[in-house]
Each structure stands twice: as C-alpha cells, then as structure tokens.
Amino acid sequence: MSFKWSTNDISTMTLTIYETNLTLNKAASVHFEDVNFVLLGIDEEARQIGIKPISKEEIDEHIYNESQLHRFSHGKSYGRISNKSFVKDLSNAFGLKFDDNQCYKYTVTFDVVHSIMVAQL
C-alpha cells in the first residue's frame, strides 16, 4: 500500500484577499481573538503583507495614530478587515487583479517576537 495522506487545511493559517477586504480563516484569526484593531503594512521589497494586532492598552496609551488603526471584525470561523483602499494599494504594489470576483489566498505565519502575522506573496 502506498497511500498519499492529505493535509488538514482547516489547521493551515490562511489569508484571503478579496477586492474589498482581507479575511483570515479560523486558524489564523486565533491570534486576534481579543483584538478590535490592527495595523496593516506592505513590504514591497520582500513582497509581504503584515497584520499587527493592537491591544486595548496600546489604544488607550495612544501608541499608534488613530489614522493607522483598522477595525478587525470577528466571525464564528473567520476574522475580517474591510478596507478597499488598502486592497487597492496591494493591487497596485503587487499587480493583483480582481476581475470576475477573483480572490487571492496565501498561507500566513505569526511572528511571535514582533507580534505580526505575515503573508508572503
């Protein structure tokens, strides 16, 4: 017997980019359970997207400018950041096209040291 065993996609942390939002699956959104706001970043040279959870304490202490904060919405099996202008920036930086309701799916990792979720495009 030479079975080829399948992987469990449910446990793989993924980011899906739609024309209007970024959606994290349940496995990835675990890192944002107690978070209502995030920072979004683009590293064009490294071709990466960064999502940094911002704690209530960081908001209360005004560590980040309010204009940099993006609302993180929680669903039962996903987390979502609705931000059409950020997706447009991604589209311009990386040539993403959203014709015919196309979306892009990437595996993500969570950098515990810097507390940033990173998607490698």
Side-chain angles (χ1 to χ4, degrees):
M1 286 192 229
S2 56
F3 289 102
K4 194 177 216 180
W5 301 108
S6 115
T7 58
N8 180 356
D9 287 341
I10 293 172
S11 65
T12 302
M13 295 190 304
T14 59
L15 166 70
T16 306
I17 303 171
Y18 298 95
E19 188 172 12
T20 59
N21 67 73
L22 296 102
T23 301
L24 297 170
N25 70 347
K26 187 172 187 160
S29 63
V30 165
H31 295 282
F32 300 86
E33 283 180 336
D34 299 321
V35 171
N36 291 318
F37 292 94
V38 297
L39 296 179
L40 295 174
I42 299 171
D43 184 335
E44 288 187 49
E45 190 174 306
R47 296 189 58 81
Q48 294 178 330
I49 300 169
I51 305 171
K52 181 172 179 58
I54 303 303
S55 69
K56 183 176 179 346
E57 293 78 26
E58 290 171 310
I59 291 171
D60 292 343
E61 293 172 12
H62 304 286
I63 293 173
Y64 300 102
N65 188 326
E66 267 188 55
S67 67
Q68 293 177 306
L69 301 176
H70 305 274
R71 180 162 293 284
F72 188 88
S73 303
H74 300 271
K76 269 188 163 180
S77 61
Y78 64 90
R80 178 168 294 143
I81 305 149
S82 295
N83 191 318
K84 195 169 185 173
S85 66
F86 182 75
V87 174
K88 187 175 180 183
D89 291 344
L90 288 175
S91 180
N92 292 336
F94 303 117
L96 305 180
K97 304 289 182 214
F98 293 97
D99 305 330
D100 301 322
N101 295 324
Q102 185 173 354
C103 65
Y104 297 87
K105 191 173 282 208
Y106 300 98
T107 300
V108 293
T109 57
F110 193 78
D111 180 338
V112 179
V113 173
H114 298 102
S115 185
I116 298 174
M117 181 154 287
V118 177
Q120 182 68 52
L121 277 66

